[in-house]
Amino acid sequence: MIIGLDMGGTHVDAVLIDHGKIIKTSKIPTEPNNLLESVWKTLKPLIAGVKPDEIERVILSTTICTNAIVEEKTAPVGMIIESGPGLPCDFLACGQENIFTEGYIDHRGREVSPINPAEINRASNAFKNKNISACAVVGKFSVRNPDHEIKIYDMLKNDFSPVTLGHTVSGKLNFPRRVFTSYFNSAVYSTFSRFSNSIVDALKREKINAKLYVLKADGGTMGLESAEKFPVNTILSGPAASIMGGQAFFNTSKDGVFLDIGGTTTDIAFLADGVPLFEPLGIKIGEYPTLVRALYSVSMGLGGDSEVRVENGILHIGPYRKGSPMALGGPCPTPTDAMIAQGLLDIGSKEKAVDAMKDIAGPLDLNIQEAASLVLQTMANMIKEKVDKLLFEINSHPVYTVKELLYGKKINPEFVQAIGGPAKILAPILENSFKIPCFYPKFYEAANAVGAALAKTTAEITVFVDTAQGTLLVPEIGLCKKIERNYTLEDAKLLAVELLSKQLSILGAEAGEIQPEIVEESVFNIVRGFYTSGKNMRIRVQAKPGLLYEMWGDKDA
Amino acid sequence: MLKAKNRLGLVFFPAFDWAISPTHPEREERLLYTQDQIFEEGINDIEGIKFYNPNIASNKDIERVHFCVPSVEDRATTSHMISAGGAIKAAEAVMEGEADKAFALVRPPGHHAQRVVYGDRGFCIINIEAIMLENLRARYGHRRVAIIDTDCHHGDGTQDIYWNDRDTLFISFHQDGRTLYPGTGFIDEFGGPGAIGYNINVPLPPGTGQEGFLYVLDNLVLPILDEYKPELIVNSAGQDNHYTDPLTNMNFTAWGYAELNHRLNPDIAVLEGGYSIEGALPYVNLGIILAMAGLDYSHVREPDYDPAKLKQPQKITEYIKELCETIYKRWRNKESIAQEIIKGKEEIIRKRNVYYDTDGIMEYQTQRFKVCNKCSGVNMIESTSDRGMPIFAVTIPQDACPSCIDEGYKMYKEADAQNYFRIYLQDRKNDIFFKRHL
Ligand SMILES: [Zn+2]
Ligand SMILES: [Zn+2]
Ligand SMILES: [Zn+2]
């Protein structure tokens, strides 16, 4: 059996799944000041009557790191930044102490100027004087040659923990994002390790010996050990849980729109040929763009509890939530009131919901039913409009080859899938707006926990080969080796797949779920004068997000 | 995060799947290291900088500018149409008000492509700046434009296309034609009878450095622009004046290119040549992007930058000073120079041979420019190549007077198809193109 647990800002959802069937679900409000207690209150009823050794896996989706950042309760970080020439570097300062150092690696990974050890010692003293124990070391082009970061690490490792090295967080090129990602990783490190220690202790107490996984923002899982090392990957994994949950109930190979409609917001995601779309580089944490691999998801301020008002004869919904719907004692009309007034939903006071619609109907010169249906139709239209805008942006993403420009894939949704509280009621209205079928799963309210429960292990690595210099480098796993001049793209691809498979099993994947795929491969001649002196290869291989199995018994309603 | 002072549109299209040949300077990885540098610097995360995919130029776009022999399809590949379309997209972003400035980082380049196209000259088949500019004029109206060609080679194609157009001021800086391909671009190449003085060449001695380029800009180009008052400035941004360029002999730096761009302040820049794909392009392109965005480029520096080595000899400094004075005097005296050249003439005839170095074709050309006091004058080209294919081509200029229009159509109709492989009429006034053959 598998336990999936989604710890959101308002609720903790948990689900117990056995071979594709939901055995039990449980949901309690989150106590922001006692997250562990919230987890246990949710788990207790779920595992009542289940033998501890029947539970094989526990998968957590947690907002603990996200909250620590939002509440500014992260650890102070000492940053060592080797910025080389190019952009001015002051905007990269993100730690409590930021030391910009000498040294410079170029785009081929060649050392142009070395590190200065005296400078690193000064930085180390500055951190100690400020009682900073968490550090991060990031150099420009360190993914092409991590040597400087490693040398600096050797000088810091005995005095500081953690020391996040830029090249280990991602193989993608983007120095500012590498700086911010490394910063966040060090900043939330202690928060996450406290959390994971108490979870481990608590499971031990219940004699549950199951493997423990944590959900990442890319819709995949990693083992607890890896999460402890790279807690930054757990940040903003909430939307990933819901997207994966949606996938569990609806297996498709078509393009589609995925909506998670909540009380305050609606999260929008897309499927391309049935696979959720990724953020091209990584997620944004607060104001900072990072390299944290993540499923694409955009949140709009529009949900069941959004404020509805009429201004100058025009109906507005959102973007704020002023409180509960009026039917539940709230201060202003909401789409939920419209649903109740129309008799589509039976909660709270219908009388108050009708009153709420009067506020809308009056200034628009409509009757109650017309006003309520206008509210819901407007809500659906707003979602459609936002989806169209996002699709336009996605479909005009830059491409870099003639072939991609001429024959590039464009996303053209053939269906909408909605989850979340209002999903069921809004489905026919959305269908009318989008002019494509709109589905919602039977367990649309527990989809997040199901998504977490069934997510497979994901990982991505990048392989750089430079046969002119005779080097092969995989920054994410710190592999750097010499290769022969006649090394081919085929050799590199085989190695990439082998390395990723190994990496996946280190992360906790079981043999059956390891399916690496090559997502990028390119090879360029390196020409000196008019002669080819070598080849420059770039390969990216990933295990894309997927599910251990689908919910056969609980398909779409 | 960083925020650009100017909203900058970037069309970055490295065409990673296109090359002239595997070891040719114009090959797949020409913009690879530029891409690495741009990505690593996080340019795409800077607020105000937006990346665009290129458009694909249409045959009509090409035919506003060129006479492709025998046809556009036979000469320009898809990559060329995309490169020109990339420049068009950049201009579009500016004209639509989405960007304050735009930079098309596209390949292949185009500034050696002349009006007649039998093949590839200096890795150029179609002139991407001219195609961009004429597309923009057709869509957004007639504009007074200055094209400043900072490529190390003479922009002979752009010169040929705008030879007789005083609404397009063309200024080319380049290494002296006596020492470098294409061997043209001397100061007496000053424009056709309708635009004498509006084609300005600045042939610089080999070894010219930062100092020299900025001197020319400050003491010649900017004063001329002040007087000409263009509505739009286009930088034909070739980067082969760089001290590491394998094809040329100049000593310009990445910072210098950024500084020049900052002072010139173009609305649109289009990448031309530049073949030091590792040592120069990543840094020069970064410098230009930052300068156009109004960001600090003072930290842009090449790995092997050594100011002492790049110091410009005093002799060169003196030479450039004199050169600038001479050229500026000619600009001021352009009216009297024009009177002298066209005095009493009904037409001006130019005979020239044009060599297509990449394809090894020789073209023999006669151009006739009508001297008209009401417009810039209808003009025609009679041409053939050493592979045959003789053509007759007429251009009616955008500002054509009624009698020049009539004359243009008459010449087109009366040209004897027996004598020519193709006969063309480019009616720029009405934006139409005719072509006939036996
Ligand atoms: Zn030039
Ligand atoms: Zn050039
Ligand atoms: Zn005329």
Side-chain angles (χ1 to χ4, degrees):
Chain A
M1 276 184 264
I2 300 174
I3 293 174
L5 189 137
D6 175 43
M7 199 170 74
T10 39
H11 286 102
V12 183
D13 282 294
V15 61
L16 184 69
I17 295 176
D18 190 16
H19 295 96
K21 280 214 79 80
I22 295 177
I23 306 292
K24 227 187 267 179
T25 64
S26 115
K27 186 189 201 86
I28 65 133
T30 308
E31 288 172 45
N33 298 320
N34 198 344
L35 295 176
L36 210 60
E37 187 62 25
S38 316
V39 169
W40 281 110
K41 278 191 184 156
T42 321
L43 277 186
K44 277 281 185 194
L46 199 73
I47 56 172
V50 176
K51 286 195 203 101
D53 61 353
E54 283 182 294
I55 299 165
E56 309 142 60
R57 285 187 177 225
V58 177
I59 296 109
L60 301 165
S61 158
T62 169
T63 53
I64 190 132
C65 291
T66 318
N67 293 344
I69 291 167
V70 174
E71 293 161 17
E72 296 177 4
K73 285 179 183 159
T74 56
V77 180
M79 299 293 298
I80 293 182
I81 303 171
E82 182 186 293
S83 61
L87 273 181
C89 55
D90 35 330
F91 80 101
L92 297 169
C94 54
Q96 271 59 38
E97 183 77 48
N98 304 277
I99 310 283
F100 294 94
T101 63
E102 296 169 22
Y104 167 18
I105 304 271
D106 81 358
H107 48 73
R108 288 269 306 278
R110 293 168 301 204
E111 179 179 78
V112 178
S113 75
I115 65 163
N116 174 356
E119 232 179 15
I120 308 306
N121 285 327
R122 277 199 298 277
S124 161
N125 288 331
F127 299 158
K128 282 179 197 157
N129 288 337
K130 288 201 169 176
N131 276 323
I132 295 172
S133 67
C135 294
V137 181
V138 190
K140 195 174 278 177
F141 284 116
S142 65
V143 291
R144 294 293 165 78
N145 178 356
D147 196 42
H148 286 187
E149 286 183 0
I150 292 167
K151 281 189 176 128
I152 296 171
Y153 174 77
D154 287 336
M155 295 179 69
L156 300 178
K157 65 181 176 197
N158 294 329
D159 297 325
F160 300 95
S161 169
V163 182
T164 303
L165 301 186
H167 71 276
T168 62
V169 300
S170 167
K172 288 184 179 133
L173 288 175
N174 191 308
F175 177 55
R177 284 178 183 250
R178 195 178 315 125
V179 170
F180 302 140
T181 311
S182 305
Y183 162 77
F184 280 118
N185 197 56
S186 288
V188 298
Y189 188 88
S190 57
T191 305
F192 189 83
S193 69
R194 272 195 306 276
F195 168 79
S196 80
N197 287 339
S198 43
I199 291 268
V200 168
D201 287 349
L203 283 173
K204 255 187 212 151
R205 224 185 308 143
E206 298 291 321
K207 302 203 167 47
I208 296 176
N209 224 348
K211 275 194 187 166
L212 224 103
Y213 297 85
V214 181
L215 191 75
K216 301 185 290 179
D218 72 356
T221 62
M222 57 183 164
L224 197 64
E225 249 174 58
S226 315
E228 282 168 349
K229 222 171 147 195
F230 291 108
V232 72
N233 290 326
T234 69
I235 293 174
L236 299 175
S237 56
S242 69
I243 296 167
M244 296 315 291
Q247 293 252 292
F249 296 107
F250 185 55
N251 179 17
T252 176
S253 56
K254 291 180 181 162
D255 292 356
V257 181
F258 178 79
L259 303 173
D260 182 355
I261 309 166
T264 320
T265 58
T266 293
D267 292 343
I268 302 167
F270 295 97
L271 302 180
D273 299 330
V275 180
L277 220 63
F278 277 92
E279 284 287 347
L281 279 168
I283 213 158
K284 222 172 173 185
I285 300 175
E287 280 308 293
Y288 296 101
T290 74
L291 291 168
V292 174
R293 212 166 104 98
L295 297 184
Y296 176 94
S297 170
V298 171
S299 191
M300 69 185 290
L302 179 67
D305 299 347
S306 293
E307 179 202 16
V308 179
R309 64 196 184 281
V310 178
E311 268 168 31
N312 304 322
I314 296 164
L315 182 72
H316 292 272
I317 311 178
Y320 302 109
R321 177 184 189 269
K322 294 262 162 86
S324 312
M326 277 172 74
L328 298 171
C332 59
T334 68
T336 304
D337 290 316
M339 295 176 201
I340 299 168
Q342 284 212 315
L344 298 167
L345 188 64
D346 187 18
I347 53 166
S349 150
K350 182 161 181 180
E351 201 179 312
K352 280 186 189 163
V354 169
D355 281 346
M357 285 305 106
K358 271 185 195 152
D359 291 358
I360 303 300
L364 292 176
D365 204 15
L366 298 170
N367 68 36
I368 301 291
Q369 291 310 311
E370 285 168 343
S373 82
L374 180 69
V375 167
L376 298 183
Q377 193 58 59
T378 304
M379 185 173 178
N381 291 347
M382 285 170 73
I383 294 172
K384 164 81 161 61
E385 219 170 277
K386 181 76 182 178
V387 164
D388 285 346
K389 211 176 133 216
L390 295 173
L391 271 175
F392 177 80
E393 277 170 26
I394 290 166
N395 284 336
S396 48
H397 263 173
V399 294
Y400 301 113
T401 60
V402 175
K403 194 175 145 225
E404 282 174 297
L405 185 71
L406 297 179
Y407 310 110
K409 155 100 184 150
K410 300 261 185 271
I411 295 178
N412 184 19
E414 292 180 52
F415 68 91
V416 176
Q417 191 193 18
I419 64 163
K424 184 179 172 181
I425 294 167
L426 281 178
I429 304 164
L430 287 164
E431 204 162 86
N432 183 37
S433 248
F434 278 82
K435 310 278 182 247
I436 46 177
C438 179
F439 309 116
Y440 61 93
K442 193 165 131 200
F443 285 92
Y444 58 90
E445 284 168 305
N448 291 30
V450 172
L454 300 182
K456 283 204 269 191
T457 307
T458 53
E460 178 185 65
I461 58 167
T462 323
V463 178
F464 295 107
V465 179
D466 186 327
T467 65
Q469 297 186 74
T471 55
L472 181 146
L473 176 65
V474 187
E476 295 95 336
I477 58 173
L479 176 77
C480 193
K481 66 173 208 169
K482 290 273 156 223
I483 44 128
E484 297 295 314
R485 291 189 58 84
N486 58 3
Y487 201 80
T488 66
L489 184 66
E490 283 313 309
D491 297 334
K493 279 159 66 176
L494 280 174
L495 183 74
V497 167
E498 186 190 312
L499 289 172
L500 186 77
S501 304
K502 210 193 273 170
Q503 181 66 4
L504 284 166
S505 64
I506 292 171
L507 291 175
E510 284 169 30
E513 53 173 300
I514 295 178
Q515 289 158 324
E517 59 167 354
I518 290 169
V519 283
E520 253 178 69
E521 56 171 282
S522 60
V523 53
F524 294 95
N525 288 329
I526 300 167
V527 180
R528 281 280 163 282
F530 287 89
Y531 300 96
T532 303
S533 68
K535 292 199 184 297
N536 187 316
M537 305 173 202
R538 290 123 189 247
I539 295 151
R540 200 189 301 280
V541 51
Q542 71 164 9
K544 67 179 170 208
L547 298 159
L548 293 173
Y549 42 77
E550 286 159 37
M551 305 304 295
W552 296 113
D554 302 298
K555 284 302 225 182
D556 276 30
Chain B
M1 280 307 297
L2 283 180
K3 188 169 182 237
K5 224 183 270 159
N6 307 320
R7 289 171 309 146
L8 175 65
L10 273 181
V11 178
F12 178 69
F13 196 73
F16 283 148
D17 47 355
W18 183 84
I20 288 185
S21 76
T23 59
H24 194 281
E26 187 47 81
R27 63 180 178 268
E28 291 96 337
E29 86 275 32
R30 188 171 155 231
L31 292 177
L32 178 66
Y33 305 107
T34 293
Q35 185 192 55
D36 287 351
Q37 193 78 36
I38 291 176
F39 282 11
E40 178 68 347
E41 297 286 356
I43 296 297
N44 39 351
D45 289 323
I46 295 176
E47 196 186 331
I49 298 185
K50 192 174 167 200
F51 283 69
Y52 291 91
N53 278 328
N55 293 353
I56 301 174
S58 65
N59 285 10
K60 186 172 171 76
D61 289 322
I62 314 305
E63 288 171 339
R64 275 191 200 104
V65 172
H66 294 293
F67 303 110
C68 290
V69 190
S71 67
V72 174
E73 293 88 340
D74 284 297
R75 294 280 76 97
T77 67
T78 306
S79 295
H80 292 92
M81 304 302 265
I82 293 173
S83 184
I88 290 172
K89 183 70 210 184
E92 198 177 276
V94 173
M95 300 312 292
E96 295 291 340
E98 285 179 36
D100 300 316
K101 295 174 176 299
F103 185 14
L105 270 156
V106 293
R107 51 181 285 267
H111 76 147
H112 295 305
Q114 308 202 349
R115 287 207 282 165
V116 176
V117 177
Y118 278 103
D120 189 329
R121 305 186 65 243
F123 328 148
C124 305
I125 291 177
I126 53 175
N127 194 304
I128 60 176
E129 274 102 7
I131 290 163
M132 167 193 86
L133 179 52
E134 297 318 309
N135 169 290
L136 180 152
R137 280 180 166 145
R139 290 159 69 195
Y140 302 97
H142 204 68
R143 265 156 219 278
R144 228 170 135 74
V145 178
I147 301 178
I148 314 300
D149 183 317
T150 52
D151 189 282
C152 189
H153 300 90
H154 176 221
D156 59 344
T158 316
Q159 164 170 306
D160 182 50
I161 290 160
Y162 292 109
W163 183 249
N164 204 40
D165 178 359
R166 64 164 68 211
D167 287 328
T168 311
L169 170 68
F170 179 62
I171 305 180
S172 177
F173 297 38
H174 43 265
Q175 185 174 328
D176 195 314
R178 291 168 297 188
T179 61
L180 190 69
Y181 177 87
T184 52
F186 300 101
I187 63 175
D188 58 343
E189 294 163 41
F190 208 44
I196 289 170
Y198 296 91
N199 186 90
I200 295 173
N201 285 309
V202 190
L204 296 165
T208 300
Q210 203 145 283
E211 229 181 306
F213 281 93
L214 297 177
Y215 184 90
V216 175
L217 187 78
D218 289 342
N219 296 284
L220 180 66
V221 177
L222 293 179
I224 291 176
L225 289 177
D226 262 356
E227 289 163 42
Y228 185 72
K229 296 195 176 32
E231 293 166 73
L232 204 67
I233 298 178
V234 177
N235 182 12
S236 196
Q239 308 183 343
D240 36 11
N241 287 297
H242 195 266
Y243 64 87
T244 60
D245 198 277
L247 307 184
T248 64
N249 315 93
M250 302 301 240
N251 274 332
F252 209 28
T253 62
W255 178 85
Y257 265 109
E259 179 66 17
L260 182 141
N261 183 285
H262 170 69
R263 295 189 201 179
L264 177 63
N265 196 22
D267 302 281
I268 301 161
V270 178
L271 178 67
E272 278 293 341
Y275 300 95
S276 172
I277 62 170
E278 273 196 56
L281 256 54
Y283 310 101
V284 177
N285 283 319
L286 177 66
I288 294 178
I289 289 170
L290 297 184
M292 290 191 88
L295 289 163
D296 180 358
Y297 50 82
S298 60
H299 301 273
V300 174
R301 177 168 28 85
E302 301 83 343
D304 56 352
Y305 175 66
D306 178 357
K309 261 196 200 155
L310 298 171
K311 181 122 185 59
Q312 182 175 289
Q314 189 58 30
K315 233 176 84 184
I316 292 184
T317 307
E318 294 301 327
Y319 177 87
I320 291 174
K321 225 170 134 181
E322 252 173 67
L323 180 74
C324 286
E325 269 169 43
T326 312
I327 298 171
Y328 188 62
K329 238 182 245 157
R330 283 176 65 82
W331 159 258
R332 296 306 301 260
N333 290 335
K334 58 186 177 301
E335 312 296 339
S336 53
I337 296 174
Q339 271 175 11
E340 210 162 293
I341 294 175
I342 59 184
K343 193 167 54 190
K345 295 199 179 86
E346 273 180 19
E347 64 173 10
I348 302 260
I349 298 172
R350 280 215 305 173
K351 279 184 191 283
R352 11 180 245 142
N353 297 341
V354 179
Y355 184 58
Y356 294 77
D357 56 304
T358 310
D359 289 341
I361 299 169
M362 182 62 91
E363 178 194 355
Y364 310 95
Q365 202 183 83
T366 304
Q367 298 180 326
R368 292 165 190 275
F369 295 92
K370 186 183 167 191
V371 176
C372 176
N373 55 12
K374 293 194 201 73
C375 73
S376 36
V378 63
N379 60 78
M380 71 232 73
I381 298 173
E382 240 186 313
S383 164
T384 188
S385 77
D386 57 7
R387 315 263 165 99
M389 300 196 275
I391 63 152
F392 180 77
V394 179
T395 300
I396 295 168
Q398 250 169 345
D399 65 346
C401 66
S403 74
C404 280
I405 297 176
D406 288 348
E407 203 175 328
Y409 275 87
K410 198 165 157 243
M411 283 191 292
Y412 173 68
K413 279 186 199 128
E414 288 175 2
D416 187 351
Q418 299 289 348
N419 297 335
Y420 301 105
F421 175 67
R422 290 285 185 281
I423 299 164
Y424 303 92
L425 173 64
Q426 211 174 43
D427 177 356
R428 297 284 293 118
K429 177 111 188 171
N430 300 301
D431 196 23
I432 29 184
F433 185 84
F434 297 97
K435 183 166 83 169
R436 66 188 171 94
H437 53 91
L438 249 191

